Amino acid sequence: MASMRDIKRRKQSISSTQQITKAMKLVSTVKLQKAKTRAEQTDPYFNYMYKTVKSMLARSGNIDHPYLTAGESTKKAVVVITSNRGLAGGYNSNIVKLITGTDWNVDDVEIYAVGGKGAEGLERRGYHIAENASHIMENPTYPDAAALCNKVLEAFTSGEVGEIYLAYTHFKNTVSHEPQMIKLLPVEIDADADDAEDSNILMNYEPNEEEALNTIIPKYVTSLFYGALVEAVASENGARMQAMDSATSNAEDMISDLTLKYNRARQGSITQELTEIIAGANAIS
């Protein structure tokens, strides 16, 4: 059995760690409330943007446009959104698993990392980091999202990559966050996107479809990317809050267990001393 000194030292160490986890939980809770409000405010716009563009393309007939057809390159650009800090449970590792769990050839994947943890995890597994924009996660803004999207779109239009994907964590609610990967380009036309009576009416473009799509699709992709950033921030803080709450509870259980062991050791020590005193007294008498 460990000595009383060792038990006391370990108990103090766990108590100090518990204070840290409590503080981190409180900070994450405050950040989560702000991020959750932001996500709830922006979510309707991006959902409507997604549905509108899908509906528009479904009623556009057979359009031959670069954004709607896969490029000749076998390479895939993946925008990976993770955090810059750990201690968030499986938040970062789940996103990394989305990439490593595919049957894609590692050499055919170009990673555009937003978040240091994702960049580190994928680089260790042999993936090429084409762009590391980890600074965006400190304070995500629409211009930052647009700047990175322009780089990815340039790689697509130049033929460097044939497809573009987005991997992020979808924020459902405070305790539920779902890692997912969606295809951004080429845009997949959903034939069932518009069930209205006028679904057979073809979309007209002015001045022409190519010029219109050259403007609409980049804004569509940037909007999805920014929406994913906002959801990812909320998911990160939610995951960290849960992780720190669990760590605090585990520390409390360990402290209770160590307190019990300490009391037993102390009782054993007192009993031993009493036994020795009684034995000594008997020997004298």
Side-chain angles (χ1 to χ4, degrees):
M1 179 182 291
S3 66
M4 292 174 58
R5 180 180 298 177
D6 292 336
I7 295 173
K8 187 175 182 180
R9 186 183 296 116
R10 178 159 174 73
K11 183 179 176 182
Q12 290 174 342
S13 175
I14 294 174
S15 296
S16 298
T17 302
Q18 185 186 42
Q19 292 177 358
I20 296 174
T21 58
K22 278 184 178 179
M24 293 185 67
K25 177 190 173 183
L26 291 175
V27 172
S28 296
T29 301
V30 174
K31 289 184 176 180
L32 172 62
Q33 295 307 315
K34 295 180 179 179
K36 179 183 177 182
T37 301
R38 188 179 181 186
E40 291 174 345
Q41 290 175 342
T42 57
D43 188 59
Y45 167 77
F46 296 110
N47 283 336
Y48 194 76
M49 167 71 83
Y50 177 79
K51 293 178 181 179
T52 300
V53 172
K54 287 287 188 179
S55 175
M56 179 190 72
L57 293 176
R59 296 191 300 167
S60 296
N62 296 323
I63 298 179
D64 183 16
H65 192 278
Y67 287 144
L68 305 180
T69 56
E72 295 181 359
S73 175
T74 59
K75 289 193 173 182
K76 299 170 177 59
V78 185
V79 179
V80 181
I81 303 178
T82 56
S83 69
N84 288 328
R85 290 171 287 275
L87 298 178
Y91 173 78
N92 294 306
S93 60
N94 288 336
I95 294 295
V96 172
K97 289 177 183 178
L98 281 181
I99 314 300
T100 58
T102 65
D103 57 356
W104 297 340
N105 190 319
V106 174
D107 297 329
D108 286 339
V109 179
E110 296 289 318
I111 300 297
Y112 289 78
V114 182
K117 292 300 180 181
E120 293 171 6
L122 290 169
E123 191 172 24
R124 284 198 303 268
R125 290 164 175 78
Y127 289 87
H128 177 247
I129 309 300
E131 181 80 18
N132 191 336
S134 299
H135 64 281
I136 293 179
M137 289 308 296
E138 297 303 322
N139 184 29
T141 63
Y142 189 88
D144 288 335
L148 182 58
C149 274
N150 287 337
K151 294 181 181 179
V152 183
L153 288 173
E154 184 178 349
F156 181 82
T157 54
S158 65
E160 294 179 21
V161 298
E163 298 175 337
I164 299 177
Y165 291 83
L166 172 63
Y168 73 105
T169 303
H170 171 58
F171 180 79
K172 288 186 174 181
N173 51 56
T174 302
V175 297
S176 180
H177 325 109
E178 178 186 1
Q180 59 182 228
M181 183 159 58
I182 60 176
K183 189 175 184 179
L184 297 179
L185 288 181
V187 178
E188 295 181 337
I189 301 176
D190 186 0
D192 299 325
D194 194 350
D195 297 328
E197 295 179 359
D198 60 347
S199 60
N200 293 325
I201 301 176
L202 292 179
M203 183 72 64
N204 292 322
Y205 293 92
E206 291 291 345
N208 58 67
E209 60 190 32
E210 182 175 354
E211 187 172 341
L213 291 178
N214 283 339
T215 301
I216 294 173
I217 299 301
K219 290 184 179 297
Y220 161 78
V221 173
T222 302
S223 295
L224 292 183
F225 177 39
Y226 179 67
L229 277 173
V230 173
E231 290 195 26
V233 172
S235 298
E236 175 192 346
N237 286 293
R240 183 169 290 109
M241 183 190 72
Q242 286 181 277
M244 292 302 99
D245 181 62
S246 177
T248 301
S249 297
N250 290 339
E252 187 66 38
D253 292 340
M254 294 177 69
I255 291 173
S256 297
D257 183 60
L258 288 172
T259 299
L260 181 60
K261 289 182 178 180
Y262 179 83
N263 290 336
R264 286 177 177 174
R266 183 168 178 270
Q267 184 179 13
S269 177
I270 294 174
T271 302
Q272 179 67 27
E273 290 177 359
L274 288 174
T275 301
E276 292 176 354
I277 292 173
I278 293 171
N282 291 335
I284 296 174
S285 62

PDB file of all heavy atoms in Angstrom, residues 129-153:
ATOM      1  N   ILE A 129       0.170  19.035 -46.924  1.00  0.00           N
ATOM      2  CA  ILE A 129      -0.554  20.226 -46.488  1.00  0.00           C
ATOM      3  C   ILE A 129      -0.295  21.338 -47.513  1.00  0.00           C
ATOM      4  O   ILE A 129       0.764  21.965 -47.513  1.00  0.00           O
ATOM      5  CB  ILE A 129      -0.112  20.680 -45.090  1.00  0.00           C
ATOM      6  CG1 ILE A 129      -0.167  19.498 -44.099  1.00  0.00           C
ATOM      7  CG2 ILE A 129      -0.982  21.833 -44.612  1.00  0.00           C
ATOM      8  CD1 ILE A 129      -1.527  18.891 -43.935  1.00  0.00           C
ATOM      9  N   ALA A 130      -1.258  21.552 -48.393  1.00  0.00           N
ATOM     10  CA  ALA A 130      -1.104  22.565 -49.439  1.00  0.00           C
ATOM     11  C   ALA A 130      -1.203  23.973 -48.868  1.00  0.00           C
ATOM     12  O   ALA A 130      -0.570  24.907 -49.375  1.00  0.00           O
ATOM     13  CB  ALA A 130      -2.165  22.365 -50.523  1.00  0.00           C
ATOM     14  N   GLU A 131      -2.003  24.124 -47.816  1.00  0.00           N
ATOM     15  CA  GLU A 131      -2.180  25.435 -47.195  1.00  0.00           C
ATOM     16  C   GLU A 131      -2.521  25.239 -45.724  1.00  0.00           C
ATOM     17  O   GLU A 131      -3.366  24.418 -45.380  1.00  0.00           O
ATOM     18  CB  GLU A 131      -3.304  26.208 -47.888  1.00  0.00           C
ATOM     19  CG  GLU A 131      -3.560  27.596 -47.351  1.00  0.00           C
ATOM     20  CD  GLU A 131      -2.570  28.628 -47.868  1.00  0.00           C
ATOM     21  OE1 GLU A 131      -1.908  28.340 -48.881  1.00  0.00           O
ATOM     22  OE2 GLU A 131      -2.469  29.712 -47.265  1.00  0.00           O
ATOM     23  N   ASN A 132      -1.841  25.995 -44.858  1.00  0.00           N
ATOM     24  CA  ASN A 132      -2.136  25.940 -43.426  1.00  0.00           C
ATOM     25  C   ASN A 132      -2.651  27.310 -42.995  1.00  0.00           C
ATOM     26  O   ASN A 132      -1.890  28.256 -42.835  1.00  0.00           O
ATOM     27  CB  ASN A 132      -0.885  25.565 -42.642  1.00  0.00           C
ATOM     28  CG  ASN A 132      -1.200  25.239 -41.176  1.00  0.00           C
ATOM     29  OD1 ASN A 132      -2.211  25.684 -40.633  1.00  0.00           O
ATOM     30  ND2 ASN A 132      -0.348  24.456 -40.537  1.00  0.00           N
ATOM     31  N   ALA A 133      -3.952  27.411 -42.844  1.00  0.00           N
ATOM     32  CA  ALA A 133      -4.587  28.684 -42.469  1.00  0.00           C
ATOM     33  C   ALA A 133      -5.145  28.583 -41.050  1.00  0.00           C
ATOM     34  O   ALA A 133      -6.302  28.928 -40.792  1.00  0.00           O
ATOM     35  CB  ALA A 133      -5.685  29.037 -43.462  1.00  0.00           C
ATOM     36  N   SER A 134      -4.319  28.096 -40.131  1.00  0.00           N
ATOM     37  CA  SER A 134      -4.777  27.861 -38.758  1.00  0.00           C
ATOM     38  C   SER A 134      -5.195  29.149 -38.052  1.00  0.00           C
ATOM     39  O   SER A 134      -5.997  29.122 -37.117  1.00  0.00           O
ATOM     40  CB  SER A 134      -3.676  27.165 -37.956  1.00  0.00           C
ATOM     41  OG  SER A 134      -3.363  25.907 -38.526  1.00  0.00           O
ATOM     42  N   HIS A 135      -4.646  30.281 -38.498  1.00  0.00           N
ATOM     43  CA  HIS A 135      -4.961  31.555 -37.845  1.00  0.00           C
ATOM     44  C   HIS A 135      -6.442  31.921 -37.975  1.00  0.00           C
ATOM     45  O   HIS A 135      -6.977  32.676 -37.158  1.00  0.00           O
ATOM     46  CB  HIS A 135      -4.115  32.677 -38.458  1.00  0.00           C
ATOM     47  CG  HIS A 135      -4.408  32.931 -39.906  1.00  0.00           C
ATOM     48  ND1 HIS A 135      -3.902  32.128 -40.915  1.00  0.00           N
ATOM     49  CD2 HIS A 135      -5.190  33.860 -40.518  1.00  0.00           C
ATOM     50  CE1 HIS A 135      -4.334  32.576 -42.085  1.00  0.00           C
ATOM     51  NE2 HIS A 135      -5.120  33.611 -41.872  1.00  0.00           N
ATOM     52  N   ILE A 136      -7.114  31.376 -38.981  1.00  0.00           N
ATOM     53  CA  ILE A 136      -8.524  31.706 -39.199  1.00  0.00           C
ATOM     54  C   ILE A 136      -9.381  31.293 -38.009  1.00  0.00           C
ATOM     55  O   ILE A 136     -10.357  31.967 -37.661  1.00  0.00           O
ATOM     56  CB  ILE A 136      -9.040  31.032 -40.492  1.00  0.00           C
ATOM     57  CG1 ILE A 136      -8.354  31.648 -41.717  1.00  0.00           C
ATOM     58  CG2 ILE A 136     -10.553  31.176 -40.616  1.00  0.00           C
ATOM     59  CD1 ILE A 136      -8.790  31.027 -43.032  1.00  0.00           C
ATOM     60  N   MET A 137      -9.014  30.188 -37.345  1.00  0.00           N
ATOM     61  CA  MET A 137      -9.836  29.670 -36.259  1.00  0.00           C
ATOM     62  C   MET A 137      -9.832  30.559 -35.024  1.00  0.00           C
ATOM     63  O   MET A 137     -10.684  30.405 -34.151  1.00  0.00           O
ATOM     64  CB  MET A 137      -9.377  28.264 -35.862  1.00  0.00           C
ATOM     65  CG  MET A 137      -9.690  27.200 -36.895  1.00  0.00           C
ATOM     66  SD  MET A 137     -11.421  27.184 -37.405  1.00  0.00           S
ATOM     67  CE  MET A 137     -12.246  26.738 -35.886  1.00  0.00           C
ATOM     68  N   GLU A 138      -8.892  31.485 -34.933  1.00  0.00           N
ATOM     69  CA  GLU A 138      -8.864  32.369 -33.769  1.00  0.00           C
ATOM     70  C   GLU A 138     -10.056  33.321 -33.769  1.00  0.00           C
ATOM     71  O   GLU A 138     -10.612  33.650 -32.734  1.00  0.00           O
ATOM     72  CB  GLU A 138      -7.548  33.165 -33.751  1.00  0.00           C
ATOM     73  CG  GLU A 138      -6.304  32.298 -33.609  1.00  0.00           C
ATOM     74  CD  GLU A 138      -6.331  31.427 -32.362  1.00  0.00           C
ATOM     75  OE1 GLU A 138      -6.823  31.904 -31.310  1.00  0.00           O
ATOM     76  OE2 GLU A 138      -5.876  30.273 -32.430  1.00  0.00           O
ATOM     77  N   ASN A 139     -10.455  33.755 -34.973  1.00  0.00           N
ATOM     78  CA  ASN A 139     -11.616  34.641 -35.092  1.00  0.00           C
ATOM     79  C   ASN A 139     -12.143  34.562 -36.519  1.00  0.00           C
ATOM     80  O   ASN A 139     -11.846  35.416 -37.353  1.00  0.00           O
ATOM     81  CB  ASN A 139     -11.228  36.086 -34.741  1.00  0.00           C
ATOM     82  CG  ASN A 139     -12.431  37.014 -34.761  1.00  0.00           C
ATOM     83  OD1 ASN A 139     -13.557  36.605 -34.516  1.00  0.00           O
ATOM     84  ND2 ASN A 139     -12.191  38.282 -35.087  1.00  0.00           N
ATOM     85  N   PRO A 140     -12.914  33.521 -36.846  1.00  0.00           N
ATOM     86  CA  PRO A 140     -13.368  33.306 -38.227  1.00  0.00           C
ATOM     87  C   PRO A 140     -14.224  34.458 -38.755  1.00  0.00           C
ATOM     88  O   PRO A 140     -15.151  34.909 -38.072  1.00  0.00           O
ATOM     89  CB  PRO A 140     -14.203  32.017 -38.132  1.00  0.00           C
ATOM     90  CG  PRO A 140     -13.751  31.364 -36.873  1.00  0.00           C
ATOM     91  CD  PRO A 140     -13.385  32.472 -35.942  1.00  0.00           C
ATOM     92  N   THR A 141     -13.888  34.943 -39.939  1.00  0.00           N
ATOM     93  CA  THR A 141     -14.673  35.989 -40.589  1.00  0.00           C
ATOM     94  C   THR A 141     -14.971  35.564 -42.017  1.00  0.00           C
ATOM     95  O   THR A 141     -14.289  34.707 -42.584  1.00  0.00           O
ATOM     96  CB  THR A 141     -13.913  37.325 -40.601  1.00  0.00           C
ATOM     97  OG1 THR A 141     -12.708  37.183 -41.375  1.00  0.00           O
ATOM     98  CG2 THR A 141     -13.565  37.775 -39.190  1.00  0.00           C
ATOM     99  N   TYR A 142     -15.976  36.193 -42.601  1.00  0.00           N
ATOM    100  CA  TYR A 142     -16.346  35.866 -43.981  1.00  0.00           C
ATOM    101  C   TYR A 142     -15.217  36.201 -44.959  1.00  0.00           C
ATOM    102  O   TYR A 142     -14.935  35.405 -45.863  1.00  0.00           O
ATOM    103  CB  TYR A 142     -17.630  36.595 -44.368  1.00  0.00           C
ATOM    104  CG  TYR A 142     -18.190  36.140 -45.692  1.00  0.00           C
ATOM    105  CD1 TYR A 142     -19.061  35.057 -45.768  1.00  0.00           C
ATOM    106  CD2 TYR A 142     -17.855  36.791 -46.882  1.00  0.00           C
ATOM    107  CE1 TYR A 142     -19.573  34.630 -46.973  1.00  0.00           C
ATOM    108  CE2 TYR A 142     -18.363  36.375 -48.098  1.00  0.00           C
ATOM    109  CZ  TYR A 142     -19.222  35.290 -48.137  1.00  0.00           C
ATOM    110  OH  TYR A 142     -19.716  34.862 -49.343  1.00  0.00           O
ATOM    111  N   PRO A 143     -14.534  37.352 -44.820  1.00  0.00           N
ATOM    112  CA  PRO A 143     -13.408  37.636 -45.726  1.00  0.00           C
ATOM    113  C   PRO A 143     -12.293  36.584 -45.655  1.00  0.00           C
ATOM    114  O   PRO A 143     -11.690  36.254 -46.682  1.00  0.00           O
ATOM    115  CB  PRO A 143     -12.906  39.004 -45.244  1.00  0.00           C
ATOM    116  CG  PRO A 143     -14.114  39.648 -44.653  1.00  0.00           C
ATOM    117  CD  PRO A 143     -14.859  38.532 -43.985  1.00  0.00           C
ATOM    118  N   ASP A 144     -12.020  36.062 -44.450  1.00  0.00           N
ATOM    119  CA  ASP A 144     -11.018  35.000 -44.321  1.00  0.00           C
ATOM    120  C   ASP A 144     -11.463  33.751 -45.069  1.00  0.00           C
ATOM    121  O   ASP A 144     -10.663  33.095 -45.746  1.00  0.00           O
ATOM    122  CB  ASP A 144     -10.791  34.653 -42.842  1.00  0.00           C
ATOM    123  CG  ASP A 144     -10.029  35.736 -42.102  1.00  0.00           C
ATOM    124  OD1 ASP A 144      -9.286  36.484 -42.764  1.00  0.00           O
ATOM    125  OD2 ASP A 144     -10.186  35.844 -40.874  1.00  0.00           O
ATOM    126  N   ALA A 145     -12.748  33.425 -44.935  1.00  0.00           N
ATOM    127  CA  ALA A 145     -13.289  32.255 -45.636  1.00  0.00           C
ATOM    128  C   ALA A 145     -13.194  32.454 -47.142  1.00  0.00           C
ATOM    129  O   ALA A 145     -12.825  31.537 -47.886  1.00  0.00           O
ATOM    130  CB  ALA A 145     -14.737  32.023 -45.217  1.00  0.00           C
ATOM    131  N   ALA A 146     -13.515  33.662 -47.608  1.00  0.00           N
ATOM    132  CA  ALA A 146     -13.471  33.952 -49.043  1.00  0.00           C
ATOM    133  C   ALA A 146     -12.046  33.864 -49.579  1.00  0.00           C
ATOM    134  O   ALA A 146     -11.816  33.362 -50.686  1.00  0.00           O
ATOM    135  CB  ALA A 146     -14.052  35.337 -49.304  1.00  0.00           C
ATOM    136  N   ALA A 147     -11.078  34.346 -48.800  1.00  0.00           N
ATOM    137  CA  ALA A 147      -9.684  34.331 -49.249  1.00  0.00           C
ATOM    138  C   ALA A 147      -9.177  32.902 -49.442  1.00  0.00           C
ATOM    139  O   ALA A 147      -8.521  32.593 -50.439  1.00  0.00           O
ATOM    140  CB  ALA A 147      -8.801  35.067 -48.241  1.00  0.00           C
ATOM    141  N   LEU A 148      -9.482  32.028 -48.477  1.00  0.00           N
ATOM    142  CA  LEU A 148      -9.035  30.641 -48.606  1.00  0.00           C
ATOM    143  C   LEU A 148      -9.788  29.928 -49.727  1.00  0.00           C
ATOM    144  O   LEU A 148      -9.200  29.148 -50.486  1.00  0.00           O
ATOM    145  CB  LEU A 148      -9.240  29.898 -47.286  1.00  0.00           C
ATOM    146  CG  LEU A 148      -8.769  28.437 -47.269  1.00  0.00           C
ATOM    147  CD1 LEU A 148      -7.283  28.339 -47.605  1.00  0.00           C
ATOM    148  CD2 LEU A 148      -9.046  27.790 -45.918  1.00  0.00           C
ATOM    149  N   CYS A 149     -11.079  30.202 -49.853  1.00  0.00           N
ATOM    150  CA  CYS A 149     -11.867  29.575 -50.916  1.00  0.00           C
ATOM    151  C   CYS A 149     -11.341  29.969 -52.292  1.00  0.00           C
ATOM    152  O   CYS A 149     -11.348  29.151 -53.215  1.00  0.00           O
ATOM    153  CB  CYS A 149     -13.334  29.966 -50.785  1.00  0.00           C
ATOM    154  SG  CYS A 149     -14.252  28.892 -49.668  1.00  0.00           S
ATOM    155  N   ASN A 150     -10.906  31.199 -52.433  1.00  0.00           N
ATOM    156  CA  ASN A 150     -10.357  31.638 -53.714  1.00  0.00           C
ATOM    157  C   ASN A 150      -9.120  30.825 -54.091  1.00  0.00           C
ATOM    158  O   ASN A 150      -8.923  30.488 -55.264  1.00  0.00           O
ATOM    159  CB  ASN A 150     -10.003  33.129 -53.654  1.00  0.00           C
ATOM    160  CG  ASN A 150     -11.236  34.017 -53.671  1.00  0.00           C
ATOM    161  OD1 ASN A 150     -12.294  33.601 -54.136  1.00  0.00           O
ATOM    162  ND2 ASN A 150     -11.104  35.229 -53.164  1.00  0.00           N
ATOM    163  N   LYS A 151      -8.299  30.490 -53.100  1.00  0.00           N
ATOM    164  CA  LYS A 151      -7.113  29.678 -53.376  1.00  0.00           C
ATOM    165  C   LYS A 151      -7.495  28.265 -53.810  1.00  0.00           C
ATOM    166  O   LYS A 151      -6.901  27.711 -54.739  1.00  0.00           O
ATOM    167  CB  LYS A 151      -6.226  29.617 -52.128  1.00  0.00           C
ATOM    168  CG  LYS A 151      -5.604  30.954 -51.737  1.00  0.00           C
ATOM    169  CD  LYS A 151      -4.728  30.814 -50.501  1.00  0.00           C
ATOM    170  CE  LYS A 151      -4.134  32.158 -50.115  1.00  0.00           C
ATOM    171  NZ  LYS A 151      -3.278  32.053 -48.889  1.00  0.00           N
ATOM    172  N   VAL A 152      -8.497  27.705 -53.130  1.00  0.00           N
ATOM    173  CA  VAL A 152      -8.931  26.353 -53.477  1.00  0.00           C
ATOM    174  C   VAL A 152      -9.600  26.342 -54.852  1.00  0.00           C
ATOM    175  O   VAL A 152      -9.366  25.443 -55.666  1.00  0.00           O
ATOM    176  CB  VAL A 152      -9.897  25.802 -52.408  1.00  0.00           C
ATOM    177  CG1 VAL A 152     -10.290  24.373 -52.736  1.00  0.00           C
ATOM    178  CG2 VAL A 152      -9.256  25.856 -51.023  1.00  0.00           C
ATOM    179  N   LEU A 153     -10.415  27.358 -55.128  1.00  0.00           N
ATOM    180  CA  LEU A 153     -11.074  27.448 -56.433  1.00  0.00           C
ATOM    181  C   LEU A 153     -10.071  27.642 -57.559  1.00  0.00           C
ATOM    182  O   LEU A 153     -10.245  27.116 -58.660  1.00  0.00           O
ATOM    183  CB  LEU A 153     -12.082  28.606 -56.427  1.00  0.00           C
ATOM    184  CG  LEU A 153     -13.342  28.393 -55.603  1.00  0.00           C
ATOM    185  CD1 LEU A 153     -14.173  29.672 -55.548  1.00  0.00           C
ATOM    186  CD2 LEU A 153     -14.181  27.256 -56.168  1.00  0.00           C
TER     187      LEU A 153
END
